Each structure stands twice: as structure tokens, then as C-alpha cells.
Amino acid sequence: ARVGRRSQSSEIMNCKEHHLPELELATGQVREALQAILHTILFIRSPGPVAPRDVHCEGFDLTYTRIETPDGAKSWSQQGAVGGGGGPGMAIESDLDRKVDDSIEAFLRSLSQIGPELLSGCLTLSFFERRASKQLFGLMSHEERVVWEQWILRVVVNNTPRPVGDDSTSVIERQRIQDTAESMLKSALLKVFEITGGDIDHIPPVMFEFEISCSKRADDREHVYSRVANMPALINLGN
């Protein structure tokens, strides 16, 4: 008997790209800022009913909403669609947190030097669906990942030492730096709300998946999937 083979490719030609306002942050602010943005998008783009949880940032004066998993209940469903252990329906909140946090750590490791005390990198959140088709009289199966939306965020990490004195000049400068970073984060979140409040015709009516990747530049296409944290599939509305 002849055994069929399976191949996989990615298609992004009809993908909607959303470029968020650039962030300039201190190293200690990056994790919390990216968590706020990523979890906000993932909550809004979840295709099924999920419980919300408000999170107040420790380093910024703002609150964002993310997916809550009360009492360990499952908020995400793999449905056997994404590679990785655990089987269908085993991805829970702690796993989601780990995936997001791992992608942020990978992003921090990918930063490139752009000046004295300055580093930069680009983070991309991609949503895609898998489409399978049969070829050559059904002897070969082909799986295509169709990316239908990408959120692209460039971050500049400023490691310039902050003034630590108690004099008024140092206090004012520290507050200015904090206010600037906070304003940038709020601007990025407002852009997310503006975009998600618009057209949704491109969102498929089926279960879809997502991944987070990082590159040195927003247009670094050959490396956009080089450091990928594969995410569990979102909820299947058919269930």
C-alpha cells in the first residue's frame, strides 16, 4: 500500500497587519507592559465566551482585562490542533501565562543594540487557521497555516541609568520618565481598542490558533517565525 505524505506551509498574503505605537521602556518595565498588551489582545480576540479578570499593573497606573480561569477551569481548548503535550483541552491559564511569559523572555534575548544604552526589537502576535486539503488522488495530504491577522509592536529598551537622588531635579526626572512610558503604553492599548472595535469580517468563523514571535525589525520577514512560542488553539464555538 502506498502511504500518503503530509506537508505544511504558511500563507500570509491576505493577512491584516496592525502596527501598534512604538514603546520606549526601561528593562524593568518591559515584561509588565507586554503582558498587558498581549493579554488584552488575546482576551478580545478569543472567539468563545471567557470569564474576564481585571489586572492592575504594579509599575503603571492602569488596569487591563485578561482571561480568567476560575477554580482551575479550562479557558482554552486545544482540540488536538496544536503540537505539544497534554492532549485536547489540557491548556489552562497557567499554561497560557507560561506561553506569554516565555515569548517575552525570548523577545528580551533577541534585542539588538541601536545606540548607547539602547536596544530594540519587534514582537509579532499572529492569528491563523489550519486548512487541510488532499492532493494526488488523496495520496498526499497538505496542511496550510493561513495567517489572517498580525499585531506588530516595536519596543525600544532604554537602559540609561535613572537619577536616584532625593533632590527635586531627580524626582522630577524620574516622574517624567515614568509618565512618558505610561503614556506610550496607554496609547498602544487605546490603539488595540480602536482596531478591535472596527471591521471583523476577516476573522474566520472556525477555531483558530495563534503564536508569538520576535524579530529585530518589523520588516524582518525571513526571521519573523524564528523564535516562536506556539500557542494553544482558541475556543471552538461549535462546542
Side-chain angles (χ1 to χ4, degrees), residues 10-199:
S10 295
E11 172 65 64
I12 62 173
M13 288 182 61
N14 297 317
C15 171
K16 282 211 170 195
E17 288 189 356
H18 306 304
H19 291 262
L20 297 178
E22 180 180 292
L23 298 179
E24 182 171 337
L25 306 164
T27 301
Q29 298 173 317
V30 173
R31 290 175 178 85
E32 189 171 44
L34 293 182
Q35 285 172 347
I37 293 173
L38 291 173
H39 279 296
T40 296
I41 298 172
L42 293 174
F43 173 76
I44 295 174
R45 279 295 184 247
S46 175
V50 292
R53 172 160 64 93
D54 290 339
V55 179
H56 186 71
C57 295
E58 295 181 2
F60 303 98
D61 184 22
L62 64 86
T63 299
Y64 66 92
T65 303
R66 56 155 294 163
I67 292 173
E68 168 75 298
T69 308
D71 301 322
K74 297 162 188 170
S75 64
W76 301 80
S77 173
Q78 284 184 283
Q79 302 297 326
V82 183
M90 293 302 292
I92 60 176
E93 180 191 20
S94 59
D95 187 51
L96 174 63
D97 290 336
R98 179 178 60 81
K99 298 288 188 180
V100 170
D101 292 344
D102 284 351
S103 71
I104 294 174
E105 294 305 316
F107 167 76
L108 289 171
R109 292 193 298 270
S110 75
L111 295 173
S112 59
Q113 194 88 28
I114 60 171
E117 308 293 343
L118 293 177
L119 303 169
S120 75
C122 183
L123 195 69
T124 302
L125 170 60
S126 302
F127 291 95
F128 64 93
E129 62 172 308
R130 295 179 186 266
R131 294 179 184 174
S133 61
K134 293 286 186 178
Q135 297 179 350
L136 298 178
F137 303 103
L139 297 178
M140 176 184 293
S141 62
H142 176 79
E143 185 177 80
E144 185 179 48
R145 297 194 323 166
V146 180
V147 181
W148 49 268
E149 184 175 76
Q150 288 186 324
W151 297 80
I152 301 167
L153 174 64
R154 183 172 184 265
V155 180
V156 174
V157 180
N158 192 335
N159 289 319
T160 302
R162 296 190 179 190
V164 296
D166 294 329
D167 58 284
S168 61
T169 300
S170 296
V171 172
I172 292 173
E173 179 61 13
R174 285 198 301 271
Q175 189 61 50
R176 184 195 67 78
I177 294 172
Q178 175 66 25
D179 290 345
T180 299
E182 190 169 295
S183 176
M184 288 183 170
L185 177 55
K186 289 180 177 178
S187 177
L189 289 171
L190 286 174
K191 187 65 174 180
V192 170
F193 299 143
E194 176 188 330
I195 292 171
T196 54
D199 179 40

